[in-house]
Amino acid sequence: MSDHFRNRLMFAVALVLAAIYLFPLYWMYITALKTGSAMFATPPKFWPSEPQWSIYSYVWESRNMGRYLWNSLVIAIGAVSLIAVLGVGCAYVLARYRNIWVDIGLFLILMLQVLPASLMITPIFVGFSQVGLLDTPRFAVILAIAAKSMPFFVVLVRATFMNVPMELEEAALVDGNSRIGAFFNIVLPLARNGILVSAILIFMQAFGEFVYSKSMIQAVELQPASVGLNTFMGPNTNEWNNIMAYATIYVTPILAAFVLLQRRIVSGLTSGALK
């Protein structure tokens, strides 16, 4: 098999896999434009004959989506800021002072990621209620997200710091910098790409968080967009076209950011893979 044929075959397989992966997104977008009867037509149509473009403005105004998106933004930025402030220093220390016990501890902490939020919410809710954190529910959600996502952030940023040669720090120390000065002037600028990518991944996760927000935030005016989507679900009916329109408005900014930053995300994730 020639290299040319193999490359064309791999490209064809990649196109098929991409089409399978992207089809649910395509179906979400076109379902939002369909009428109630067109959604359940047999056979299904892959493009509506009469697109309902006005549904986006209707959903935005009727559900006050601006408020929901603002709350999602506040929670996501708060979680990312808290994780970045605490996690960068932790990752740096774990990268520079390495031994077998650090690796074992990281592995055990990282195993917490396999626990679903639905399992963690009960003890977190009870603990937050006892210390009064539920009086500020958005802050409580930010703390819960930070506790859940911190190990993931630390592991990614640690790999980035491990890729920065220690000789650069030693040279900075010889030149008169303190350990803190070497960190801020030498190490941090070189690791900013990996830190930024890790922060972007945490932001995407926090922006779509549902379980903690649904359980801790009872006031409608403080709920994020993920909880707002749930308001379309009724005991007797589901407004599927409105749900899809809401979801389209909700996920499109995240998809656009991911597409624009995909090269940096990939390079940041692999920055610590090779020496």
Side-chain angles (χ1 to χ4, degrees):
M1 183 183 295
S2 66
D3 292 339
H4 179 69
F5 178 76
R6 185 184 296 109
N7 291 337
R8 291 176 67 90
L9 178 61
M10 294 300 294
F11 181 70
V13 171
L15 287 179
V16 172
L17 294 177
I20 294 174
Y21 179 78
L22 294 175
F23 181 77
L25 286 175
Y26 168 76
W27 200 250
M28 177 187 71
Y29 281 110
I30 66 164
T31 301
L33 300 175
K34 293 181 178 180
T35 60
S37 58
M39 283 190 299
F40 301 100
T42 304
K45 294 183 178 180
F46 289 89
W47 183 259
S49 55
E50 298 179 359
Q52 307 295 309
W53 297 105
S54 61
I55 192 170
Y56 294 113
S57 60
Y58 167 75
V59 169
W60 179 274
E61 295 173 1
S62 64
R63 298 293 174 170
N64 198 1
M65 275 203 70
R67 181 191 63 202
Y68 283 122
L69 290 175
W70 169 252
N71 290 328
S72 292
L73 195 63
V74 169
I75 291 173
I77 292 177
V80 170
S81 301
L82 182 60
I83 290 172
V85 169
L86 299 178
V88 169
C90 179
Y92 172 74
V93 171
L94 294 177
R96 288 295 180 255
Y97 301 96
R98 285 175 277 174
N99 57 57
I100 185 63
W101 298 110
V102 170
D103 294 334
I104 293 175
L106 274 177
F107 174 77
L108 294 176
I109 294 174
L110 195 59
M111 286 298 294
L112 293 175
Q113 296 291 300
V114 305
L115 298 177
S118 56
L119 179 64
M120 301 292 293
I121 183 58
T122 299
I124 290 177
F125 184 90
V126 172
F128 283 4
S129 177
Q130 291 178 346
V131 299
L133 280 174
L134 294 184
D135 295 336
T136 53
R138 285 192 300 195
F139 180 64
V141 172
I142 289 172
L143 287 180
I145 295 173
K148 175 71 174 175
S149 302
M150 181 73 77
F152 177 69
F153 179 87
V154 169
V155 168
L156 290 181
V157 177
R158 176 177 180 255
T160 301
F161 282 135
M162 290 173 65
N163 206 37
V164 178
M166 291 190 64
E167 290 78 6
L168 296 178
E169 284 184 78
E170 294 171 356
L173 293 175
V174 171
D175 288 340
N177 279 282
S178 63
R179 174 68 69 175
I180 296 178
F183 172 73
F184 282 104
N185 297 325
I186 304 298
V187 180
L188 199 59
L190 293 175
R192 65 180 181 274
N193 190 52
I195 296 173
L196 177 61
V197 170
S198 303
I200 291 172
L201 295 177
I202 297 297
F203 179 88
M204 291 180 177
Q205 179 183 356
F207 193 77
E209 199 286 320
F210 174 77
V211 175
Y212 295 142
S213 300
K214 177 66 175 176
S215 302
M216 298 183 190
I217 303 178
Q218 305 301 320
V220 176
E221 62 273 11
L222 298 179
Q223 291 176 341
S226 56
V227 178
L229 182 61
N230 194 54
T231 61
F232 288 100
M233 305 289 187
N236 302 315
T237 182
N238 294 321
E239 306 171 37
W240 289 114
N241 53 346
N242 291 337
I243 290 174
M244 295 302 174
Y246 187 105
T248 297
I249 300 173
Y250 183 25
V251 305
T252 297
I254 297 297
L255 290 175
F258 185 84
V259 170
L260 293 173
L261 298 172
Q262 60 177 324
R263 291 183 180 273
R264 180 163 292 192
I265 290 174
V266 173
S267 65
L269 288 174
T270 58
S271 62
L274 298 174
K275 285 281 188 179

